[in-house]
Every structure is written in structure tokens, then in C-alpha cells.
Amino acid sequence: MPICYNRRYQTQYNPRLIRPEFMNQTHNELSTIWNHFQTSLFPWLKEELGELTEKHQQLIEVLEISQIDAHIPYVGLVPGRPMKNRCAIARAFVAKAVYNMPTTEMLMDRLKSDIRLRRLCGWERVKEIPSQSTFSRAFAEFADSQLAERVHAALINKHLGEQLLGHISRDSTAIIAREKPEKKEEPAQDKTPKKRGRPKKDEERIPKLTRLEKQSRGMSIREMKADLPTACNVGTKRNSKGYKSSWIGYKLHIDACDGGVPVSCLLTSASLHDSQVAIPLAEMTNQRVSYCYDLMDAAYDAPQIKQHSQALGHVPLIDENPRNKVRKAEIEAEHKSRRHANYYPAETIRYHERSTVERVNGRIKDEFGARMVRVKGHAKVMSHLMFGIIALTVDQLMKFIE
């Protein structure tokens, strides 16, 4: 959503996209937080730590708004050697995403040399910084407990849960990983031969349901997520110029609302088609926020997805996928006629807002570490990406009032 309260973005104001009920409550809450930062927190920290850079201030905003410490359970006294401070380590991983650092070694070097960053994370002296193995064990704990996913869900529920949003743009982006792809298993051959020809008069042959058909018949979110493949493998897609490109890793599916705020995310195998994740992702988003329109490209052009969107009370705006050359030529001719007549339907204008999720994909890769994945396994890769999603979410929310 364009930011009408920021002087730098006044030229991008679009009355059709501004929701008063959204801007009033959310803007007031974020304005109170922003005023607290500018009048109290930043001046106090400047006296304690010295001059703060823009990255320091951005990290403070992410830590204060996300409240990641509140989602880490208290361990208490346990037998054996005391554990290192997990809250400080979690804040350090948030700083790693904010500063777009590729490795934990770079994070540790920065903590040792930057006293302001070290104290913001929770360590006063250099010798208090844990070892690299401790960082690794703590990250595995965060990945197993889905800490970053829970923090992001709480962040969305707090600031957007009671608001009515306009559009949800859905898309996926390639995530390159440094691990071996899963080997394809040959399907077990059924020794019983299939019956050929037409079935008998009283014989019933039950067709095998596709994944979309199963999802549209009332599967729970947990069942749908468990049915999705999550192993690392090879993915292939066609770029905007028509050439095919392949990668080894995963695929991150994102639902983003107006304003470039990611609402829901799912990580699957790279080879999985985008349409297979549309229904579970829509269910997750529908539980967190209320919105009106689903914006998707031609990869999601399936009747089950349209029917599911309508069943949730939304309006699906999906680009048509021409499945033959004749239909493709008809669509191109229709678009050409509309351009000559300068006629653009309301659905076409609304569909242009789908570029929001493209910008989210670009920012998460260029600014928040999604292009530099150095961990292995679905859970750890998802945790690494979600730390960046948390930073991106807070950054986009603060752009409403900064």
C-alpha cells in the first residue's frame, strides 16, 4: 500500500488503495511506537552507546516490535553446565538478517569489533560471546521449535489481524541451497496388471485423486502441509524472456498484502509446482488476516483454486493460462484491442498490484539474507529465511509512518 503519511511517498498516493479502517488503528499504534523510538529510546541509547547508524536503528526497531525474547521459553535451573543466553543469540540471528551477513563467522567478527551491536544483542564483553558451535546448537533449537515462524505469526496477528486488507498477492521464489539434491526414487511397480478397456456394467473404478482435489475436499492445514514435499531437489522455471533456468534447493511461497508486508510463508521442494501450495497458503493467510482479493499469476489457473478462494469469501483474480496456441492468440488479440481502445477493466487494474509480492521476493533476497543460505535441511533453511522475513515485515510496517 502506498504510504500517504510519509512525505517521501506523497507522489505515490492512490486513494483506491488506502483503507481508512486499516490506516487509522494500525497507523496510530505504529505512530506511538515510532514516537517512543524518536523521543525516548534512541536518545537514551545514543547517550549509553554513542552514535547509532541507520542499521543500528533498524535493528532496534525490529527487536522492539517483534519482541522475540517473549517467544523463547524460560529454561530455569537444569543439571549440568548452564546454557548460554538464548535470547541474546536469537537477537544476534536477527542482526545477521538485518545486516545481510552470509555466515555466522562474519556475525561473530562483527560482534567482536562493533561494541554497539554487541551490547544491543545482550553481551557487554567480548569474552561473553558464545562459540560458533554454541551458535549452531542454538540455531538448531530455534529451527526445531519454529521460533521465527511463531514470532512472525504473532507480529501479523498483532498489527494486521483485526484489519480489512485489500489484496493478497501470491507467488514463489527460488532458494538456492548448498546441499545435495534428493535422489528420485523409482515408483514401486504394481505386479497386478491394470484392466484394459471399458469397465463392466456393475464395476466401479475409483480414479486416483490429485493433490489439489484432496486439498479442496476438506483437508486440515496440518494435513496439507504434511503432504507437501520438503526435500532439497532440482527446480526448473521459465524466466520472463522465455528461457528455462534450473537450481538446486527449495522454493519459498509468499503471501504479501498491500504495502509489501509478507503475511504467510511456506517452504517446499524446488520441483513442486506453485499451484500445489495455493490452497494451504490461502488457509494460513485467511486465519491471520481478512482480505478481499486473491492475486495470482497463470501458474495458479486451476478450477479448484478459484473455487476455494470463492468459498473463503474472496474474489480470485488469476491470469489465464492459455493451454493451446489458438487460445493464446485470442488472448493476445484481445489485449491488443483493449490497448488500442484504451479500455482497462477494473480487474486488470487491480491485478497490477500483484507486483507487490515480486518486490517482496527481491527485498528478501537482496537485503535480508535469502540469497546466501549456508545451512542444510528444510527446518534450518526455513528458520534462516524467516529471520529475514521478520526483519522485512517490521521494516515495511514502519514505512507507514516513518
Side-chain angles (χ1 to χ4, degrees), residues 164-168 170 282-283 285-287 289-296 304-317:
L164 176 62
L165 307 180
H167 309 96
I168 288 292
R170 185 167 298 125
E283 288 286 347
T285 303
N286 187 64
Q287 289 186 356
V289 297
S290 300
Y291 61 98
C292 301
Y293 294 89
D294 280 311
L295 309 183
M296 293 168 274
Q304 295 86 356
I305 297 176
K306 294 180 181 178
Q307 294 171 5
H308 181 266
S309 177
Q310 294 171 350
L312 295 178
H314 306 147
V315 179
L317 300 181

Side-chain angles (χ1 to χ4, degrees), residues 194 199 202-210 213-214 217:
K194 295 182 179 180
D202 297 331
E203 182 182 2
E204 293 184 4
R205 295 182 185 178
I206 302 176
K208 187 177 180 180
L209 298 177
T210 62
E213 292 173 342
K214 293 178 182 177
R217 295 194 177 189

Side-chain angles (χ1 to χ4, degrees), residues 61-216:
E61 291 175 355
V62 175
L63 293 177
E64 285 295 317
I65 295 178
S66 64
Q67 293 293 318
I68 192 171
D69 297 5
H71 298 269
I72 300 177
Y74 175 70
V75 179
L77 298 177
V78 294
R81 183 179 179 180
M83 298 176 62
K84 295 292 183 180
N85 190 348
R86 290 298 186 260
C87 293
I89 297 177
R91 290 193 290 268
F93 280 117
V94 173
K96 179 183 177 183
V98 172
Y99 281 79
N100 200 17
M101 298 180 186
T103 61
T104 306
E105 293 89 339
M106 292 185 63
L107 172 64
M108 296 177 63
D109 291 341
R110 185 63 180 267
L111 289 171
K112 293 176 182 178
S113 60
D114 191 344
I115 185 174
R116 299 176 183 84
L117 178 61
R118 182 170 69 246
R119 294 186 64 183
L120 288 175
C121 291
W123 296 295
E124 290 290 336
R125 293 170 291 181
V126 175
K127 66 179 183 180
E128 296 178 359
I129 301 175
S131 63
Q132 184 176 349
S133 59
T134 303
F135 271 97
S136 179
R137 288 193 298 270
F139 186 81
E141 295 173 8
F142 298 154
D144 293 338
S145 62
Q146 298 182 347
L147 171 66
E149 292 93 315
R150 290 187 284 109
V151 172
H152 178 255
L155 190 62
I156 295 299
N157 291 332
K158 179 179 180 180
H159 295 285
L160 301 180
E162 297 181 357
Q163 315 305 322
L164 176 62
L165 307 180
H167 309 96
I168 288 292
S169 303
R170 185 167 298 125
D171 199 9
S172 66
T173 184
I175 301 298
I176 300 175
R178 291 190 173 186
E179 53 183 304
K180 292 184 178 180
E182 181 187 40
K183 294 183 179 179
K184 292 184 178 180
E185 296 181 359
E186 296 183 1
Q189 296 181 355
D190 191 2
K191 295 183 179 180
T192 58
K194 295 182 179 180
K195 294 184 178 180
R196 301 177 61 183
R198 294 169 56 186
K200 296 180 180 179
K201 185 176 181 180
D202 297 331
E203 182 182 2
E204 293 184 4
R205 295 182 185 178
I206 302 176
K208 187 177 180 180
L209 298 177
T210 62
R211 180 179 281 116
L212 279 176
E213 292 173 342
K214 293 178 182 177
Q215 293 174 350
S216 60

Side-chain angles (χ1 to χ4, degrees), residues 153-348:
L155 190 62
I156 295 299
N157 291 332
K158 179 179 180 180
H159 295 285
L160 301 180
E162 297 181 357
Q163 315 305 322
L164 176 62
L165 307 180
H167 309 96
I168 288 292
S169 303
R170 185 167 298 125
D171 199 9
S172 66
T173 184
I175 301 298
I176 300 175
R178 291 190 173 186
E179 53 183 304
K180 292 184 178 180
E182 181 187 40
K183 294 183 179 179
K184 292 184 178 180
E185 296 181 359
E186 296 183 1
Q189 296 181 355
D190 191 2
K191 295 183 179 180
T192 58
K194 295 182 179 180
K195 294 184 178 180
R196 301 177 61 183
R198 294 169 56 186
K200 296 180 180 179
K201 185 176 181 180
D202 297 331
E203 182 182 2
E204 293 184 4
R205 295 182 185 178
I206 302 176
K208 187 177 180 180
L209 298 177
T210 62
R211 180 179 281 116
L212 279 176
E213 292 173 342
K214 293 178 182 177
Q215 293 174 350
S216 60
R217 295 194 177 189
M219 292 178 66
S220 64
I221 297 181
R222 180 175 298 181
E223 293 173 344
M224 288 189 286
K225 291 172 65 175
D227 186 52
L228 299 176
T230 57
C232 173
N233 59 14
V234 180
T236 303
K237 66 177 182 179
R238 192 182 301 274
N239 59 22
S240 58
K241 296 183 179 180
Y243 297 100
K244 288 186 177 180
S245 60
S246 300
W247 75 97
I248 297 176
Y250 302 89
K251 186 182 287 187
L252 180 64
H253 306 262
I254 300 178
D255 269 8
C257 70
D258 296 329
V261 180
V263 178
S264 302
C265 303
L266 280 176
L267 186 70
T268 65
S269 300
S271 61
L272 186 66
H273 195 265
D274 292 356
S275 62
Q276 309 297 300
V277 194
I279 294 179
L281 200 58
E283 288 286 347
M284 291 177 57
T285 303
N286 187 64
Q287 289 186 356
R288 297 181 181 181
V289 297
S290 300
Y291 61 98
C292 301
Y293 294 89
D294 280 311
L295 309 183
M296 293 168 274
D297 59 17
Y300 300 90
D301 185 15
Q304 295 86 356
I305 297 176
K306 294 180 181 178
Q307 294 171 5
H308 181 266
S309 177
Q310 294 171 350
L312 295 178
H314 306 147
V315 179
L317 300 181
I318 306 175
D319 192 18
E320 183 179 353
N321 182 12
R323 289 173 169 81
N324 55 68
K325 295 182 179 180
V326 177
R327 181 55 185 163
K328 184 177 180 180
E330 293 176 354
I331 295 175
E332 292 177 354
E334 182 179 359
H335 290 171
K336 185 177 180 180
S337 300
R338 289 180 177 179
R339 287 195 300 268
H340 287 170
N342 197 22
Y343 169 68
Y344 299 98
E347 292 79 5
T348 303

Side-chain angles (χ1 to χ4, degrees), residues 26-49:
T26 304
H27 181 268
N28 291 339
E29 294 176 356
L30 295 175
S31 295
T32 303
I33 298 174
W34 185 81
N35 290 331
H36 169 67
F37 288 158
Q38 298 296 326
T39 60
S40 301
L41 186 59
F42 287 161
W44 177 77
L45 288 175
K46 186 176 180 180
E47 293 180 0
E48 291 289 326
L49 305 177

